[in-house]
Amino acid sequence: MNYSIVFYIIGWILNMEAAFMLLPCAVALIYREPSGWAFAVTILASLCIGIPLTIKKPANRVFYLREGFVTTSLSWILLSCIGALPFCISGYIPNPVDAVFETVSGFTTTGASILNDVEALSHCMLFWRSFTHWIGGMGVLVFLLILLPMTGGSNMNLMKAESPGPSVSRLLPKVSSSARILYLIYIFMTVVEIILLLFGGMSMFDALTLSFGTAGTGGFGTRNDSIAGYSIYCQVIITVFMILFGVNFNVYFLILFKKWKQAFKNEEVITYLLIILASTLLITWNARQSFSGYPEAFQQAAFQVGSIITTTGYATTDFNLWPQTSRTVLVLLMFIGACAGSTGGGVKVSRFLILIKTVAKELKLLLHPRSIKKVRIDGKTIEHETVRSTNVFMFTYILIFAISMFLLTFDNYDLTTTFTAVAATLNNIGPGLELVGPTGNFSFFSNGSKLVMIFDMLAGRLELFPMLLLFNKSTWKKF
């Protein structure tokens, strides 16, 4: 383990977080809110740790996959702990476990909250809460790739550790160039959404915070009723952008460089859109009696399907009251998730495609043992290593899910609440069903259960293995 480069990068992460906190400080000045001083104190604390770690550049700047996983995990943990300080210092969330839960939920773009009254928070706290979604959506370490040149395939190793999906590929010869373009696309789409929401009569503050939540597919809102109080126009705009941010950003990269054929024949994106369409139509028909007519049912179904499959977690209605079939569809969408390479969570559509095609291949081999069959996506053969890692991921995912659910049962809540609470946090969704439905929150869980779900949120965002490697003794051996 090259500890010097790990600490060096963590130092830069903390310095960046201090820079990010200047924005809620500015919001506090605009609205003349005394709670802004909590961010000023946190900025000083973050810089006191970060600057000493970055003053001296490490002699050995080689950065391999092991360092990538460890740095990613530790960075996200520290980022969340430091980011929770303003909530504690200001007194809005006095319980440190609750404050960390809320902040981890923000950075991992989960959107699960322990707050009973969101509207009681000051503007600067609401802004920071939503801004953590935007920071965590594309990944703060991916942003760091633009700034810090490293050696030994280091950029790619860092990107692999943080980027969602079964595999990560270079879009350009330099990974830093790929990261720069992806971030520019991310910023451009966020700005477009803000402008469109402003056209719908939304205030600048709400347009900013809700766009941050949509872009990061997070789901923190500024009102207790989430998105229900806004116009149909604003709800439609948010629906469209939730779905767009759930698309693999490589597709936008290909469109930008006019590689139309590759972009529009992406099997994962086509499957993703078909799942959304089929789910929306099924819920529209099944839950039609909950609305005044088919148009309203379709619009509300499309919003919730887009919100759940992209793991954004916004709500316009209490889907906890929908028929059982509609609720079951939403639970299934929680596990499918968005596309790989997007800001969405969940298992990812690409993994399900690989698993389904692997099963189909095995069935054909049973009938024709001597035939040679390959798993293909977009006409390209999927490497055995990718298939193997997908299988291992799914087993690990089920194991973590089962252990987490067992630990939460000690709080003695009903099975649906416990099951969907784990599903909502491990898949980075936000709301579940019953007590953790769209009108509920996670405040009633014990501190122990909240710590389990904090781990689940981090593990879900970082694709499980970076967090698990922290508990492996050989990870920490110095070379």
Side-chain angles (χ1 to χ4, degrees), residues 227-245:
I227 311 297
Y230 297 99
S231 66
I232 297 298
Y233 167 86
C234 291
Q235 291 179 15
V236 170
I237 293 298
I238 292 171
T239 303
V240 171
F241 276 89
M242 284 191 297
I243 294 169
L244 289 176
F245 279 107

Side-chain angles (χ1 to χ4, degrees), residues 361-408:
K361 185 194 81 168
E362 291 301 320
L363 289 174
K364 288 177 182 177
L365 286 174
L366 286 173
L367 296 174
H368 308 285
R370 294 184 180 181
S371 63
I372 298 174
K373 301 291 181 182
K374 298 284 186 182
V375 176
R376 296 178 183 273
I377 292 181
D378 297 331
K380 298 177 183 177
T381 301
I382 301 298
E383 298 292 333
H384 175 72
E385 179 63 24
T386 303
V387 176
R388 184 197 63 81
S389 65
T390 300
N391 293 334
V392 173
F393 176 91
M394 288 305 301
F395 174 77
T396 309
Y397 175 91
I398 293 168
L399 189 64
I400 292 175
F401 194 101
I403 293 171
S404 300
M405 195 174 162
F406 173 73
L407 292 173
L408 260 63

